[in-house]
Amino acid sequence: MIHRIRIDTIFLITVIDMDTVPVFFNRELSWIEFNARVLYEACRQDIPLIERLKFLSIVSSNFDEFFMVRVAGLKRKERTHPDSRDISGMTAREQLHRISLRAHEVIQKQHKVLAQEIIPALSAAGIEYIHPEQYTVQQKTFIKTMFENEVFPMLTPLRTDGENFPHISNLRLYIAFRLAPLPDIDIEQNVFSPRNTENPVAVVQIPAALPRIVLIPSPEGRKMFTLLDDIVTAFGTQLFPGWTVTETMLFKVTWDADFAVDEDAGNNFIQAMEEVLDKRLLSSPVRMVCTKSSPELLSLLMEKQHLAQEDVYVVEGMIDLPSLLPLADWPEAEPLKYRTWQHFYPTELDSDVPLWDILKQKDLLLHVPYQSYEPVVSFINNAADDPDTLAIKMTLYRTSGNSPIISALERAARSGKQVTVFVELKARFDEKQNISWAVQLEKAGVIVVYGIVNLKVHGKILLVVRRENDGIHRYVHLSTGNYNDKTAKFYVDMSLFTANIDIANDATLFFNIISGYSVIQPMKQLIMAPVNLKSRLLELIDREINLSTPEAPGCIMAKMNSLGHEEIIQALYRASCAGVQILLNVRGICMLVPGVPGQSENIMVTSIIDRYLEHTRIFYFANGGSEELYLSSADWMPRNLDRRIELMFPVTQENIFHTIKDTLSLYFKDNVHAQHLNSDGSWTPCKPAAGEEILAVQEKLYLNYKRLSDINERKTPVEFIVRRKN
């Protein structure tokens, strides 16, 4: 049973002739609704307090990237193609207006929850935020000394009079100070005094090198903190001798980061990517978040940053919520967090037996973060150190700092193995780190390929080639997620280890295709975008339509991050009209409109936001009883199917097939963290009906893996020591 709880404002659905053209939700507004679902989790009283703070922080981080990329792109489109419309029928200007309205609602609610619920609850739990107006004499003395010794030397007040307004860096915190001369001070006699203004404004950047959270003296048994920006605000007058501060405003500006690299840069591709990073530093503002101020001060900053009223987000209290997350590391915060979940080592593996010896007998499934990511790291380490390994080939899209995978690849190359790595330099906001890894790997002797012109290499694949007693053997790892040991602790992904000869042959062809001049060759198992992944998906959907009957309707179940490809959505609409039952689990963007009579009444869309970030892509087709199931690195979006190198691969081993299918089915039974998408664009949180089992899919999966681990431990032989009388 679904209890309808209206938590979100309905966003625009373009009304089109239903007899001819399907309707679509707008991509950007659908993304904002995803963020509203994240905020919904932050509002839940049944979630631990620190986890609610983390969800609030995610909302801020998500919006930062959204404005840097998507809104910035729309602003550019508004200037260059003002009359063009997206598939929902909206111009760029219409989208920007709707985005501003809805984003203001979400952000206002976010800060209201922080100020009225989270901060007071933290205080009740012994972690108390102290505003400057609340400083005791002892605290004020402590903070004043700290300001003078540690903070003051780092601050640089910047003038704003004249034509050269200071550069405001992207996503950095600033304080604007409006000043007035002190009585009996002749400002006109000072050569450095501002000209032609009675109440000048200075801006001061909050030093990022200092912790934003500052512990201050507090009674025993409590932790009290203030913020670095509070301290600068409280003692900022010391920066302006001869002046008094009449008004302050904390603000943060988001800049356009939607720059494309010159794909024709050839051998100078790294330099071209570095130029993109430089452009981001000197782009144009797209948004400002700030605290309340006078209209005059706000107007000045808007004018200097060339921002319109709809680009400004005035909030109560704190801004830059992600910088509050160090609170989660305090001992006092431990009771306020989720109970720790283990990452279980797969029961099918023996850490003393090389993985390739197991793969000769069967494929292996890894489901992180419920299971440990260690088998992947060990697989690469063992291949790097194994004298029988001849070659290692893999793709790298995003990886971690101090990555053990990078270290293993360097060792392998230095030991004489043939190591080839496809480093995608165009992985947005990880470009700098990926450039660093690429240079480091090349110095170690790794063959580094910097992606493909006009395409991002987003598929996740690893190939190990070994010389064994009976000849050359190849082992393959395919994944729905990145080779990143850090995110594997909180991103839900599945991967497959296999020695299947067809997949190994396909993997070899794949690497040849993306590294050299090979023509596209047919592959037996791997399906590759932009070559045939989209067409294969359309074939699978059409096959389901053709096999579906009223007595035995077809079935499609799919789980992904985002759904927005027009051709795929239209195919799903056709399938719905043919009676195919379609269950979609979409974490983020969903442009498909479910539940429309005569178009999508057989389509149900759910979304789950929980403690782990859902990242797995699973696609199931009933196929008239001859079921098929696939894992993939690709979402059903234009960028994935048309503009990226992606992989989809079948799951054929029976036990793994049933494990994944059963897991996928659970996502449509969640009645704790799931929400259903309605045809009007609103989302309805699921609640268990009276007597219905309460089921949270992530908790259910964790308990399943824990049970398997406990059973495996009980199977361990126990040595009984017999005591004998001497």
Side-chain angles (χ1 to χ4, degrees), residues 356 377-392 404-417 419 464 466:
W356 37 75
V377 177
S378 296
F379 184 54
I380 299 175
N381 275 324
N382 291 341
D385 300 329
D386 171 38
D388 294 326
T389 296
L390 303 177
I392 301 172
I405 292 172
I406 298 293
S407 299
L409 295 172
E410 290 181 278
R411 288 200 318 276
R414 289 196 174 102
S415 69
K417 296 174 174 64
V419 182
V464 173
R466 299 183 76 241

Side-chain angles (χ1 to χ4, degrees), residues 92-265:
R93 167 86 319 257
E94 289 169 340
Q95 291 180 70
L96 288 168
H97 177 64
R98 301 283 302 191
I99 286 169
S100 178
L101 291 176
R102 186 65 178 120
H104 271 90
E105 292 175 353
V106 174
I107 291 170
Q108 288 296 329
K109 183 174 182 179
Q110 174 200 21
H111 284 81
K112 182 178 179 181
V113 170
L114 176 69
Q116 298 183 7
E117 297 184 27
I118 305 300
I119 295 300
L122 283 172
S123 178
I127 302 174
E128 188 170 358
Y129 165 63
I130 304 298
H131 189 270
E133 296 175 354
Q134 300 171 298
Y135 293 160
T136 65
V137 174
Q138 179 191 15
Q139 289 169 343
K140 190 172 292 187
T141 301
F142 171 86
I143 293 169
K144 183 175 185 293
T145 302
M146 178 203 169
F147 174 82
E148 293 172 348
N149 295 336
E150 301 179 31
V151 182
F152 182 84
M154 299 186 65
L155 300 179
T156 304
L158 301 172
R159 304 160 64 106
T160 64
D161 58 308
E163 295 183 0
N164 296 321
F165 190 83
H167 173 71
I168 303 299
S169 298
N170 185 38
L171 300 182
R172 297 290 291 272
L173 280 176
Y174 288 82
I175 301 178
F177 292 89
R178 181 176 287 279
L179 308 174
L182 289 171
D184 303 324
I185 298 292
D186 188 358
I187 296 299
E188 295 298 327
Q189 298 302 313
N190 188 343
V191 69
F192 296 108
S193 293
R195 297 291 180 257
N196 304 320
T197 179
E198 296 180 358
N199 299 106
V201 174
V203 295
V204 177
Q205 186 183 95
I206 303 299
L210 296 177
R212 191 181 180 211
I213 296 173
V214 179
L215 271 172
I216 58 178
S218 54
E220 186 176 349
R222 297 190 67 78
K223 276 279 188 75
M224 292 184 173
F225 72 94
T226 194
L227 299 178
L228 183 60
D229 30 287
D230 292 330
I231 295 173
V232 176
T233 300
F235 296 96
T237 302
Q238 296 185 33
L239 294 165
F240 311 103
W243 301 84
T244 185
V245 175
T246 61
E247 183 183 0
T248 61
M249 184 182 81
L250 185 67
F251 68 97
K252 179 180 79 170
V253 175
T254 307
W255 288 68
D256 180 353
D258 187 34
F259 292 100
V261 67
D262 179 7
E263 295 283 1
D264 297 321

Side-chain angles (χ1 to χ4, degrees), residues 343-344 346 364-373 376 397-398 458-460 477-497 559-561 587 612-619 630-635 646-647 649 656 659-660 663 667 698 701 705:
H343 309 293
F344 301 105
L364 292 172
L365 174 70
L366 187 68
H367 193 185
V368 297
Y370 307 105
Q371 293 179 301
S372 168
Y373 194 68
V376 177
Y397 189 74
R398 300 186 194 275
H458 193 250
K460 283 76 178 180
H477 177 259
L478 292 154
S479 180
T480 66
N482 297 309
Y483 287 104
N484 190 318
D485 57 297
K486 298 293 191 298
T487 58
K489 294 178 180 178
F490 55 91
Y491 278 33
V492 180
D493 275 302
M494 287 181 173
S495 62
L496 188 72
F497 293 96
K559 181 181 182 299
M560 65 199 77
N561 298 326
R587 188 192 81 224
Y612 292 149
L613 186 140
E614 291 293 342
H615 198 250
T616 324
R617 289 89 165 195
I618 310 171
F619 312 138
Y630 299 84
L631 297 177
S632 180
S633 60
D635 291 314
E646 302 274 14
L647 287 170
F649 50 98
I656 295 178
T659 295
I660 297 176
T663 298
Y667 278 89
Q698 291 191 1
L701 290 171
Y705 282 105

Side-chain angles (χ1 to χ4, degrees), residues 453-522:
V453 175
N454 295 319
L455 295 171
K456 284 187 179 182
V457 178
H458 193 250
K460 283 76 178 180
I461 183 171
L462 164 65
L463 172 67
V464 173
V465 183
R466 299 183 76 241
R467 185 187 302 278
E468 301 178 4
N469 292 334
D470 56 346
I472 301 297
H473 287 260
R474 289 167 295 178
Y475 304 92
V476 182
H477 177 259
L478 292 154
S479 180
T480 66
N482 297 309
Y483 287 104
N484 190 318
D485 57 297
K486 298 293 191 298
T487 58
K489 294 178 180 178
F490 55 91
Y491 278 33
V492 180
D493 275 302
M494 287 181 173
S495 62
L496 188 72
F497 293 96
T498 184
N500 179 288
I501 188 64
D502 287 336
I503 290 181
N505 287 336
D506 286 352
T508 302
L509 291 175
F510 171 81
F511 283 114
N512 290 343
I513 290 169
I514 67 173
S515 66
Y517 294 104
S518 172
V519 297
I520 304 300
Q521 301 178 64

